[in-house]
Amino acid sequence: MMFERIAPEQHDTLEGIAEPSENALLVGHAEAAATLASAYRAGKLPHALLLAGPRGIGKATFAYHLAYHLLRHPAAAGAPEMLAAPDTDSPLFRQIAMGAHPAVLHLTRPFNDKTKKFATLLTVDEIRRVNRFLSMTSHDGSYRVVIVDPADDMNTNAANALLKNLEEPPARTVFLLITHSAGSLLPTIRSRCQMIRLQPLAADEVETVLTALGMPLPDDAGKRAALLERAGGSVRDAILLSEFGGLEIADTVDVLVGGASFDFAKAHRLADAVSGRDNEIRFDLMNAHLLDIVTQAAGKAAETGEIARAGNFARVFQELRIAISDTDTYNLDRKQHTLNMILRLHDTLRM
């Protein structure tokens, strides 16, 4: 049976893979789901939740399942003890999936009709839609849900605009902020949200999702295990690693940034491989892996009490994000960007 997409295309849409809004399968995160379902039944659901965890583990899918649960059961006291499994044939599910439900606002990188490309950041104009959304009366008195996906993509103006909404939240409204790197958000935003840390999926859980999606896995048990281990509990990473050359790109980047000396020849070969006109996904994979390396390094430094080192990595993270955005916005040389960023990270890890 062929996959039929009903959700709007997003900046990170993968062909043949369901968007979070249309994904009825939520694997893992049972403890977090039970905690929030219980809080809702007790009338104690926080007005803002920060769903934090690595990219591709199901945070956005979790957000949409929570939204479905709130709208499917507007009377909190009678809601089930676990998140309601979406009925894919119901008008409610299809409305939410299509982005057409009046009680759900999904904020992400907008599409630019002039450039025919998605923006590289979540802009303040998108966040301003919240005020118009909240000014409308809920049609049946149920919750209104604002999903910011991911909050990491907000520029400073957008973050400050959202902060105003978080400071004075309307009744029966919940903000679900998705973040791959909570430390990159404004402290004032973090302080106004309850953090829900979602953990990477187990290898067998990733395999379950891939099988449900109809994604082929290596027949060789060793190669399959290596792929699942490298995916690090992320379904999205597993797909990208297996289908778009991400495994080879990540391996090459790791060797380059982790080497005692910098291999310029290998760096040039990688830059050539990811910077061509038809290599959008490979270029994005390379950038995403660089950001993941910095995020993990910052986290390890913070855990060991190396505050100055963690702060340095946080600055590098922002520099990388700006460089990625500028390269896309101003159509800069992608090969030079790749060389600059890999060398920058190699030198930073040596400090």
Side-chain angles (χ1 to χ4, degrees):
M1 179 174 161
M2 288 190 63
F3 169 68
E4 176 196 358
R5 185 177 304 288
I6 60 175
E9 185 176 345
Q10 309 294 329
H11 70 277
D12 56 354
T13 293
L14 295 177
E15 184 178 352
I17 304 299
E19 287 294 317
S21 66
E22 59 187 349
N23 184 5
L25 178 64
L26 178 66
V27 175
H29 317 311
E31 183 177 346
T35 296
L36 293 180
S38 176
Y40 179 57
R41 280 170 56 89
K44 296 181 179 179
L45 186 70
H47 78 277
L49 298 169
L50 193 58
L51 305 178
R55 183 183 289 102
I57 64 171
K59 299 187 297 298
T61 300
F62 185 97
Y64 274 105
H65 278 234
L66 178 57
Y68 178 92
H69 181 84
L70 300 180
L71 298 177
R72 174 67 179 81
H73 302 283
E81 295 181 358
M82 285 298 296
L83 294 190
D87 175 4
T88 57
D89 293 325
S90 69
L92 174 60
F93 176 83
R94 293 187 69 84
Q95 271 192 306
I96 293 174
M98 295 169 66
H101 197 286
V104 180
L105 177 64
H106 180 231
L107 301 177
T108 188
R109 299 186 202 174
F111 184 76
N112 188 316
D113 289 323
K114 292 183 179 179
T115 64
K116 303 302 179 184
K117 297 172 66 176
F118 285 94
T120 56
L121 293 173
L122 208 171
T123 62
V124 67
D125 288 338
E126 283 295 292
I127 299 300
R128 285 174 179 153
R129 293 173 57 199
V130 175
N131 292 329
R132 296 192 295 273
F133 173 72
L134 296 180
S135 68
M136 296 183 289
T137 304
S138 176
H139 71 291
D140 60 358
S142 62
Y143 259 79
R144 287 173 296 186
V145 183
V146 178
I147 300 174
V148 185
D149 177 23
D152 311 7
D153 284 350
M154 292 187 294
N155 59 26
T156 302
N157 289 336
N160 286 325
L162 180 64
L163 184 59
K164 294 179 181 178
N165 295 117
L166 296 177
E167 288 172 340
E168 299 178 3
R172 296 185 68 75
T173 298
V174 61
F175 289 83
L176 305 178
L177 278 63
I178 295 162
T179 177
H180 314 312
S181 177
S184 67
L185 301 179
L186 291 177
T188 44
I189 285 183
R190 295 200 305 270
S191 68
R192 284 166 174 77
C193 301
Q194 179 172 319
M195 179 88 74
I196 303 294
R197 292 194 178 277
L198 301 182
Q199 301 302 317
L201 302 181
D204 62 325
E205 292 175 326
V206 173
E207 189 168 1
T208 295
V209 178
L210 293 175
T211 301
L213 292 173
M215 299 300 299
L217 286 164
D219 293 329
D220 180 79
K223 291 181 179 179
R224 184 165 62 250
L227 170 65
L228 294 172
E229 180 180 0
R230 190 58 184 264
S234 167
V235 173
R236 183 178 181 83
D237 283 358
I239 294 170
L240 294 173
L241 289 169
S242 62
E243 297 296 306
F244 296 97
L247 195 59
E248 293 79 5
I249 291 170
D251 284 341
T252 303
V253 169
D254 288 347
V255 170
L256 285 168
V257 302
S261 58
F262 192 72
D263 189 335
F264 283 95
K266 184 184 286 289
H268 275 274
R269 289 194 296 272
L270 173 66
D272 286 333
V274 303
S275 60
R277 180 177 298 178
D278 298 326
N279 289 324
E280 291 278 350
I281 292 180
R282 290 185 176 86
F283 185 68
D284 290 343
L285 281 171
M286 187 271 302
N287 283 319
H289 190 61
L290 287 173
L291 291 173
D292 286 343
I293 291 173
V294 178
T295 299
Q296 292 167 12
K300 289 180 181 178
E303 289 174 4
T304 56
E306 299 174 273
I307 305 304
R309 183 172 171 80
N312 185 42
F313 281 123
R315 287 189 293 275
V316 172
F317 182 91
Q318 293 301 333
E319 289 175 13
L320 286 174
R321 284 189 61 200
I322 292 170
I324 293 167
S325 175
D326 286 352
T327 300
D328 183 78
T329 301
Y330 304 113
N331 198 27
L332 302 180
D333 188 328
R334 289 185 171 187
K335 179 173 181 177
Q336 193 59 50
H337 162 87
T338 300
L339 294 171
N340 290 343
M341 293 303 99
I342 291 177
L343 182 58
R344 175 79 171 90
L345 188 50
H346 173 271
D347 292 345
T348 301
L349 291 171
R350 305 275 77 71
M351 295 178 181

